[in-house]
Amino acid sequence: MDLRALRYFIETVRQNSFTLAAEKLHVTQSTVSKMIRQLEDEIGQPLLSREGRQLRLTDVGRILFTRGQEALGVMQELSREVADLTALTRGELTVGMPPMINLLFSPVVKAFCERYPGVRLTLQENGGQVIEQQVASGELEVGVTILPAEPALELTSRRYGRYPILVVGPRQVSWAGEAAVGIAALRDEPLVLLPDDFSLTRRLRAAFDEAHLTPRIAAQSGQWDFLVAMAAAGLGTTLLPAPLLARLNVGDELVVRPLADPGIDWDVALIWKPRRYLSHAARAWLAVCEEVLLPTTP
């Protein structure tokens, strides 16, 4: 089986789109379609079916997607072990990192690149839940997510920072007079949130479920500055970690309060799979994170 075709198929399923998969893989859409057709011809069964704009896995496709991730993980691990023969004089390391978190790791990236100039470091951006799956399958050695990680994936985690969540809305919002805002105070407020594949949104949805409330989600976007702009325009309330909001110039048209509910902090952590081989580069990355981040961890 062509491993490249298998990789194209897995990325297409993850993105639920030939076009987005092609962008992620830096190839043309026709190339992705051709490779998946070749894979279907080799297996002798269809792998995907179209339902409107949605792609659905067939029974065979579902098996191939699950086992294919495991196969790619084994191949990645084999490559890492062989590459370790040259230690850290050359090689590469890919770290999965959500777009909202990468700004916190700039000092780590700088220190790592200065210390190991022969190692090519790549930051692969994805939502925290996708990164957790990639680390669990072995496609990535290490990644960054927001705790708690999915328990069923049995990942090892190391927290590097805990930050409060801030509630941001237009000045006329109903909770503006409160010193801190609880989830219950947002029950009738329109919300502008990050997409559902972001760990923070997963935590917030769980909090609404625990409070037996249904959130009124007016809009979702993966761009945190756009969420603040929508709040400033009066479209609704947003919730963001304090470090991200500190990067913006919040004007007089917005009111900011801490989220009162305990347990909904922004816990940034590195994750890896226990009892799995870690390359020297991955271990060096973890060591640099310890050295650079832990002295200032809140």
Side-chain angles (χ1 to χ4, degrees):
M1 184 177 293
D2 189 330
L3 287 178
R4 185 174 60 166
L6 183 59
R7 184 163 64 94
Y8 286 11
F9 166 71
I10 289 172
E11 192 61 38
T12 300
V13 175
R14 284 179 177 157
Q15 300 294 333
N16 195 33
S17 166
F18 286 90
T19 301
L20 295 179
E23 293 176 0
K24 196 80 172 179
L25 295 164
H26 305 293
V27 298
T28 63
Q29 181 178 337
S30 61
T31 299
V32 174
S33 299
K34 179 181 177 182
M35 296 298 285
I36 293 178
R37 282 197 302 270
Q38 290 178 356
L39 197 58
E40 290 177 326
D41 291 340
E42 183 177 352
I43 294 173
Q45 294 284 341
L47 303 175
L48 295 168
S49 64
R50 285 188 177 275
E51 295 182 10
R53 294 186 177 181
Q54 297 292 315
L55 294 176
R56 302 294 183 189
L57 286 168
T58 64
D59 291 341
V60 175
R62 189 172 296 107
I63 293 173
L64 185 65
F65 178 66
T66 301
R67 298 303 185 189
Q69 291 182 96
E70 296 173 0
L72 290 182
V74 170
M75 293 304 298
Q76 291 279 2
E77 188 166 339
L78 174 61
S79 298
R80 289 192 290 265
E81 291 182 28
V82 172
D84 262 0
L85 293 175
T86 58
L88 293 175
T89 57
R90 64 181 177 88
E92 59 183 46
L93 173 66
T94 300
V95 179
M97 191 170 295
M100 293 179 63
I101 297 176
N102 53 21
L103 60 91
L104 301 177
F105 279 79
S106 297
V108 178
V109 173
K110 181 176 184 292
F112 185 89
C113 292
E114 289 177 347
R115 194 169 302 176
Y116 307 107
V119 178
R120 186 176 70 181
L121 176 64
T122 302
L123 301 181
Q124 185 178 112
E125 293 189 342
N126 251 321
Q129 296 177 65
V130 172
I131 290 172
E132 291 170 19
Q133 293 169 359
Q134 289 176 315
V135 172
S137 70
E139 187 177 344
L140 291 176
E141 291 186 88
V142 289
V144 181
T145 192
I146 299 298
L147 297 178
E150 172 55 53
L153 297 178
E154 299 181 335
L155 299 172
T156 297
S157 63
R158 180 71 167 93
R159 184 172 69 84
Y160 285 98
R162 171 173 288 172
Y163 306 93
I165 302 299
L166 300 179
V167 187
V168 184
R171 297 207 64 84
Q172 69 274 16
V173 74
S174 62
W175 47 262
E178 303 293 331
V181 182
I183 287 292
L186 301 175
R187 64 185 304 164
D188 296 320
E189 289 293 326
L191 303 177
V192 287
L193 300 179
L194 294 160
D196 288 341
D197 61 344
F198 280 68
S199 299
L200 177 56
T201 302
R202 177 176 60 184
R203 297 282 307 281
L204 292 172
R205 283 191 176 276
F208 274 103
D209 288 342
E210 291 173 6
H212 304 291
L213 301 174
T214 301
R216 290 180 55 199
I217 299 178
Q220 291 180 273
S221 171
Q223 303 298 320
W224 48 281
D225 50 347
F226 184 46
L227 292 177
V228 173
M230 286 192 286
L235 295 179
T237 294
T238 190
L239 297 95
L240 290 174
L244 300 187
L245 199 61
R247 299 281 174 139
L248 295 176
N249 182 19
V250 179
D252 294 338
E253 69 274 17
L254 288 171
V255 58
V256 180
R257 298 288 185 270
L259 183 64
D261 292 73
I264 312 181
D265 293 313
W266 203 51
D267 288 337
V268 179
L270 254 79
I271 52 173
W272 63 94
K273 190 71 174 176
R275 298 179 298 280
R276 178 179 288 155
Y277 175 83
L278 284 180
S279 68
H280 289 306
R283 282 176 271 172
W285 170 263
L286 294 175
V288 173
C289 287
E290 293 273 345
E291 177 184 324
V292 174
L293 295 180
L294 283 187
T296 58
T297 296

